[in-house]
Amino acid sequence: FTYVISALVIKSERISVHGVGGLIAALLGLVLVIGIDNIMGQGSTFTGVLIILGAFLSYSVNGLLVPVLAKDIDPFVITTYGIGFGIVTLSALAFIVEEPGTAMLNKESVLSLIGMGVISTALGFSGFYLLIKRAGPFFASLIGYLVPVFGIVAGVAFLHEHIDMLQVVGIGVVLFGIFLMNAPKFKNFFNRKS
């Protein structure tokens, strides 16, 4: 979404063969990593697909608005406010939709919550906003293609999950797509160094 919005709506990126080819390659790689059966099979619903697309769209708009509306604000401050508002919103929704009074807190659930909240969310978003500030929203948005890749690698490393050859090929295709989208920028970077 970031490439499309950047190119067609705010015109900060140019549509190029590298960009479109890289986008198609990265999306194809994601399909291979996730698996067509998982996308189209029983576990997938139309509502779930819409929710994921909405999340991608929100992530893209967030990445494009931060450099405009919060360019002089420290990335850690942006993360603190974002997570703070998220906690309030999700807590209110939890009381409306779920039954939080019935949840049993134990050491494992508290440590999981802290790990996901601090490591995955706080450090992840701080790094994302720092990357936006230093490299721009388009480059920072490419992290989204790597999330399933890291998920599979972590699953293999820590949970001893099985990875098949199609997923390995998919990881390579995702990385190739990211490289292709950024090839002109890499070329300019290395030409400046020479």
Side-chain angles (χ1 to χ4, degrees):
F1 283 118
T2 304
Y3 178 70
V4 173
I5 294 170
S6 295
L8 299 179
V9 178
I10 62 175
K11 311 248 190 263
S12 63
E13 291 286 331
R14 290 182 347 159
I15 294 177
S16 67
V17 173
H18 283 104
V20 173
L23 178 65
I24 292 169
L27 290 173
L28 176 64
L30 283 180
V31 169
L32 295 174
V33 167
I34 296 168
I36 295 171
D37 291 342
N38 291 329
I39 295 170
M40 303 303 282
Q42 286 180 315
S44 178
T45 65
F46 184 69
T47 305
V49 171
L50 288 179
I51 290 170
I52 290 169
L53 289 174
F56 283 148
L57 180 61
S58 298
Y59 190 72
S60 297
V61 170
N62 176 36
L64 291 167
L65 289 178
V66 164
V68 175
L69 301 176
K71 64 181 172 190
D72 297 327
I73 300 174
D74 185 274
F76 295 105
V77 173
I78 297 169
T79 301
T80 302
Y81 279 107
I83 290 174
F85 287 123
I87 289 170
V88 170
T89 304
L90 291 175
S91 296
L93 284 172
F95 279 100
I96 294 168
V97 179
E98 300 288 333
E99 296 176 15
T102 62
M104 299 300 292
L105 290 179
N106 56 35
K107 181 180 174 184
E108 187 177 295
S109 64
V110 170
L111 288 175
S112 294
L113 188 60
I114 291 170
M116 289 189 320
V118 174
I119 296 170
S120 300
T121 306
L123 292 178
F125 271 107
S126 295
F128 176 66
Y129 292 131
L130 191 61
L131 194 56
I132 287 173
K133 193 171 198 162
R134 295 209 175 141
F138 175 66
F139 186 78
S141 74
L142 298 175
I143 291 172
Y145 292 105
L146 295 174
V147 170
V149 172
F150 285 123
I152 289 201
V153 171
V156 169
F158 300 113
L159 302 175
H160 309 291
E161 292 182 355
H162 173 72
I163 184 169
D164 62 31
M165 193 47 134
L166 205 54
Q167 290 174 312
V168 173
V169 170
I171 291 170
V173 174
V174 166
L175 295 174
F176 173 73
I178 292 171
F179 172 78
L180 192 58
M181 278 191 263
N182 287 285
K185 293 175 184 160
F186 287 136
K187 184 178 176 184
N188 291 340
F189 176 78
F190 287 112
N191 284 343
R192 277 187 295 184
K193 294 279 187 183
S194 310

